[in-house]
Amino acid sequence: MKRWSYAGLFLAASLGPVLGLLGGSDASASESADVNVTYYGAADNDPGGSTEISNPSVHDKAGGTGTFDDPITFAAGSGSSFQPGTKIYYPDLKKYFVMEDDCSGCGDNQVDLYMGSSNDDGIVQCEQASTTPGEQSIVVDPDPDLPVDTTPLYDGGCNAGGSTGQTSATSPARAKSLTADGPTTSNQEASNNTQFDKP
């Protein structure tokens, strides 16, 4: 059974008009929405090191190239209005994404974009460095002909706007990682303990 908080209900009600197109709607008009954007990869998936997803839609496992026909997997929290199969477009990356995974550590107004299947420390550092504080603009139910860059977000180098040598915000690995003592607090800790729980 899904649990709702008062904050989650308020957020859902306030975002309803903007996110009303999500999942199952036949409307074709795209809408802009402001969300918190974070990243995850195989290294901090659950189970750790895997490409498993909870809501296969376009793919059987996490992946994609970022085109309209092959959007990249993204995860969202259980209180989110993003339903499995929802497509979004992130103009900053010039890539399409599709909701195919759950993220138990994500807020209601957050999308967690899949960065890749690598399990090295660099991908976790890239996730952290590419996460920008504050809300970012995305397009929900986007048109199919928007500009696309199919460069992988991580291919041993960080191509998502961050540098693997620095951290610009709280990382998704930190937000999702659980340890006996609480969430991780550094790149090294994140790379050593990157599992999170999916509902």
Side-chain angles (χ1 to χ4, degrees):
M1 180 175 177
K2 293 181 181 176
R3 296 175 61 185
W4 288 79
S5 68
Y6 290 113
L9 289 171
F10 174 77
L11 184 60
S14 63
L15 290 176
V18 173
L19 299 177
L21 297 174
L22 301 177
S25 173
D26 292 330
S28 59
S30 56
E31 293 282 339
S32 293
D34 293 329
V35 298
N36 294 300
V37 177
T38 55
Y39 299 87
Y40 79 110
D44 54 337
N45 198 10
D46 181 23
S50 80
T51 58
E52 291 182 26
I53 52 178
S54 58
N55 303 299
S57 174
V58 175
H59 309 102
D60 292 330
K61 60 183 181 178
T65 59
T67 66
F68 183 82
D69 292 327
D70 187 24
I72 300 169
T73 301
F74 82 87
S78 60
S80 167
S81 295
F82 294 102
Q83 299 301 310
T86 300
K87 278 188 184 178
I88 63 172
Y89 176 80
Y90 189 23
D92 287 5
L93 297 176
K94 297 182 181 172
K95 295 183 190 304
Y96 291 90
F97 295 85
V98 61
M99 199 292 214
E100 297 187 301
D101 209 359
D102 292 330
C103 175
S104 65
C106 289
D108 293 346
N109 192 37
Q110 179 179 351
V111 295
D112 202 24
L113 309 179
Y114 186 73
M115 188 168 273
S117 60
S118 176
N119 279 295
D120 64 24
D121 290 347
I123 193 169
V124 175
Q125 293 173 3
C126 183
E127 292 168 12
Q128 295 171 342
S130 300
T131 297
T132 304
E135 294 181 342
Q136 311 299 313
S137 237
I138 62 167
V139 180
V140 180
D141 191 22
D143 292 330
D145 57 354
L146 298 172
V148 171
D149 179 355
T150 58
T151 305
L153 295 174
Y154 182 80
D155 58 4
C158 190
N159 305 312
S163 164
T164 56
Q166 57 185 320
T167 301
S168 63
T170 301
S171 73
R174 179 178 173 192
K176 294 181 291 191
S177 297
L178 303 175
T179 67
D181 299 326
T184 58
T185 56
S186 71
N187 288 352
Q188 185 60 42
E189 288 175 37
S191 66
N192 289 338
N193 184 22
T194 53
Q195 276 191 319
F196 71 99
D197 294 324
K198 291 184 203 165

